[in-house]
Structures are given as structure tokens and as C-alpha cells.
Amino acid sequence: MTTSHYIAGRWVDGQGSDCISVNDPALGQPFAELMAVSAEQVDQAVAAARAALPAWKCTSASERAAYLRGFAEQLGQRREALVALQMRNNGKPRHEAEVDLDDAIATFGYYAELAEQLPGQNCDVPLAAPGFTARTRLEPVGVVGLIVPWNFPLVTSAWKLAPALAAGCTVVLKPSEVTPLCELAYGQIADTLGLPAGVLNIVNGKAETGAALSNHNGLDKLSFTGSNNVGSQVMRSAAAQCRPVTLELGGKSAILVFDDCDVDAAVQWIVAGICWNAGQMCSATSRLLVQDGIADALLPRLQAALENLRVGSPLSEEADMGPLTSQAQWLKVAGYFATAREEGLQCLVGGKVLDRGGWFVSPTLYADVPEGSRLWNEEIFGPVLCARRFASEQQAIAEANDSRFGLVATVCTTDLARAERVADALEVGHVWINSVQAVFVETSWGGTKGSGIGRELGPWGLSGYQSVKHVTRCLG
Ligand code: NAD
């Protein structure tokens, strides 16, 4: 493949030593390969972004908005190819791949509008002291390094790329080595739109490339989405240079189901919260807390719903859930099934890998999981749900908050006063009431505690790429 990396407005071959295999997880076989970039090529990408910055940051907001609208439109024009690629490389069923593409399109459209309204640009600041005036300028942070994972490649990159470009930053994007092809569409679109060379650079590679980028002294900011382990390494690199960093990390989120809830609706929310994208979501609601009075009615229906879920190739129109995206993830989830057996957990459904050639596992439910269990506490990143019962609202809140993570939570109850009260008490970045995984570009994304630092989406996503400057003038 000759179109593996996009540096300074040109498509180049990788000159690194790592060969990246691009796999079809439904078959467990590679369908493409590419060479990673070398450290020198990372240097070239950062240098290109640096060279493009002075002109790009002086473009008008409406000019940048026009490019962003172009990204949204061009994504739509590439719909069939991008949906097919996500189905093939991620193992997403068609309807999920469509949702991802629509999310990316909406993100570019939203930041196009926000760019035009850039809040506070050259705003006067009223001063109590006489004899001075002051104004605020919101300036781009500068050259930003964006490092992303594989579970929602188009979306996660759009959440970073769109606000960064809107703010006037230039970018070096490193996609995951598991899904290195999807984001190349952003380079192709940049070409089509005539985005000035160097404003967007895309370098593919493995951990070594990510480390070369995060350690690079030519960046003004890093924005990382991925695991806590790598996130802390990225944070160390940022600390070494006293450079700002945004981190979107892991989760072990709770879904709380109260006695007054409609059982069928709750089952639907619980299944979607753990089986969408085969559970490979930082925001998977993988800890089910169910109130005593409804548990005996709910658990058998949940078990039946998970048993009836159709697991299969994304190419089959019938599949509700596809395979796990990588062999490493499949082995990791299989390891948790073994741990569950060692811990003697009560498995109501699943608990095994499927012998089908690809990286399939069955949707899984463990009941009455002890709070000390590894499966209750660790992020698994697969369709593996652990359930516990609770007696009171206070107990439910305490158990939900008893986690080193704090990304999201779902509250299921018909008592709306309680829903709002519980939502306020949960130590997370986003709470859904009687819905699940509903992410709107106008609301924020990000977590508390070990789930990260900073927020994406909404105006907060844009401000992550802006630097505040004040100009104060003496009138005397
Ligand atoms: P990962 O941390 O292994 O990899 C993420 C990215 O970092 C990849 O591009 C990888 O090549 C790169 N990388 C690896 N080693 C590096 C290093 N030493 N220095 C710099 N970069 C390096 O994560 P993953 O397996 O791709 O993704 C799964 C994780 O991502 C899960 O923990 C999940 O919860 C998290 N995630 C979080 C969010 C969120 O918004 N909070 C969203 C999606 C995924």
C-alpha cells in the first residue's frame, strides 16, 4: 500500500521497521499490511505541522468552518466505503458502522458552527479599576499530537480533529495499529478539499510510533485516548516537558436498576450497554446493580435476551453482535473467563469463546459477583456483564462509586426525582437516565478519577485546543 501515511500534504510509504497487519476479525485473518513510519518521519510530520501553523492560525473562523463542513460532506460521500471498512476491520455490524460514521459527520458539522461563533474572541473585559481596558483573545494551543485507539476509530479521531482544526491548531494524528486504514480517509478528504499542506498529518505505527510522538519536543499539547497503562506513560512524557495533556482512559461503569423500573426496557438498556461494539467501549456499563425487589424477575429475562443475541459475521444482516476486533482482545477476554472459573463465579450465560474461526465470544452474564472479584473491578472490554443486588438507594450509589474509574453510569427508574438525585451523586463524567450510550455532540465526554483528565465534545472540547490571552491597555 502506498497510501499509508499523510505527511506535509503528501502520501508516503512507511520507512520504519514494524510491519502492521490489518485483520478481518470475523475470519481471524489479515487482509492488508503496511510498514510503520520511522522516527524521522514522525519528526517530518511534526515539522510540517509546525511550518503550517502560522498561516493556519491566521485563517478566519469562517474559512476553517468551511473546511470542517467539507470534512462532514466528504465523509458522507465516502459512506459506503467507510462503513464497509469498519465492518471488515473492526467487525462492526452494518448498523453500528453507520452510527459511527454519522457521529463523525455530526462532529465536524458541530465544530464548523462553533468555529464561527468562537466565544469570547476579542471580547472586552469590564474592569473595576479605572484607566485600563482589557480584551480576551482565544488563541490556538499550537501543534497538537493526537493518539487514538481502535474501538471507534472514525469517531474518536473526529472528536479530536474537528475541534483542534476549528481552534486553529495543526495536527499530527496517530491511529491505532489495529485499525490503521479508517482515518486515512481524513487525509484523502484533506487532499480533496485542498487543506493547506501540514495542517493535518497522519502517521501510522505501533507503540514505538506513539512514544516517538508523545516524547516529541515539537508539540504544544497531547490528546490521548486509550488504556490507563499507556495513558500514564503519555502523561509522563507530557510532564517531562511541562506540556498540557488531555486523557480519555478506561472505565468500569455501573448501570443501576431500581424496583420500579419496567423490566423489558431495563433488559434492553442493559444489553445495549454491554453488547454494543461487542462490549469494546470505554463507557460499557459492565457492572449491573439491580435492586432486590426486581432482581428475580429481571435476571432470567436478561439471561434469555443475552442467549438470544445473534453473534456472527458483520456481513450477515442477521448479526446483532460481531467478533472482538483483535486477537489480543479475544485472548484477554478469554483470560477473564478463566479467572471467573478460578474465582468460582456463577455464570448465567456465556463465559466462553466461540469456535468459529474468527475472534468471537459469547455475551456473558455473571450473577452475585463478590465485590472483591477481579471481574467486578477491572475493565474487560468485551461483552461481559457482572451483576450484584442492592437493597437501598444509598447502597447502590456507594457501590457504583466504589471504583477507581469514573466515566459514565446509567440509572433506570420511573421515579424521576430519584433519577436526578442519584445522577447528581454518581462520581462520573456522564449519566444517562432511562437510556444508554446516547452521546450528543453538544454534551461533554470524559471522566473523573482514573477515567481521565479533561473533556471532549461540546464547547469544552474546543476549549481544550485554545489558549486564553488577555491584552490590557493603560488609557493614560
Ligand atoms: P492502548 O492504550 O493500547 O493504545 C492506544 C493508542 O496508544 C494506540 O494508538 C497505540 O498505538 C498507542 N500507544 C501504545 N503504546 C504507546 C506509548 N508507549 N506511547 C504512546 N502511544 C502509545 O489502547 P487500546 O487497546 O487501543 O484501546 C482500548 C483502551 O482505550 C481501553 O482502556 C478503553 O477504555 C480506552 N478508551 C477510552 C475512551 C474514552 O473516551 N475514555 C474511548 C475509547 C477507548
Side-chain angles (χ1 to χ4, degrees), residues 32 35 52 68 70 75 80 88 102 111 117 146 154 162 168 184 196 212 223-224 234 264 318 333 382 394 419 423 437:
M35 293 306 290
L68 292 173
L75 280 170
E80 203 36 53
R88 189 166 191 197
D102 288 335
Y111 282 107
Q117 305 155 9
L146 312 179
L154 277 182
L184 294 178
S223 179
F224 171 83
V234 168
D264 291 327
E318 254 125 63
V333 173
Q394 270 171 326
Q437 306 293 332

Side-chain angles (χ1 to χ4, degrees), residues 57 59 92 100-101 106 119-121 130 135 165 178 191 250 257 270 289 298 301 314 330 357 372 376 416 419 441 469:
K57 74 177 187 183
T59 51
K92 291 175 192 272
D100 280 17
L101 183 69
Q121 184 69 293
R135 67 186 164 89
L165 296 179
V178 178
D191 255 359
V257 181
I270 296 165
L289 288 162
L298 183 128
R301 287 213 230 165
W330 186 64
W376 182 254
L416 292 184
V441 68
K469 179 194 267 185

Side-chain angles (χ1 to χ4, degrees), residues 304-326:
L306 291 170
E307 273 164 359
N308 292 336
L309 211 74
R310 294 164 303 184
V311 181
S313 164
L315 297 180
S316 144
E317 292 294 322
E318 254 125 63
D320 299 312
M321 191 181 96
L324 298 180
T325 299
S326 74

Side-chain angles (χ1 to χ4, degrees), residues 138 350 374 468:
L138 297 177
R374 280 188 56 202
V468 179

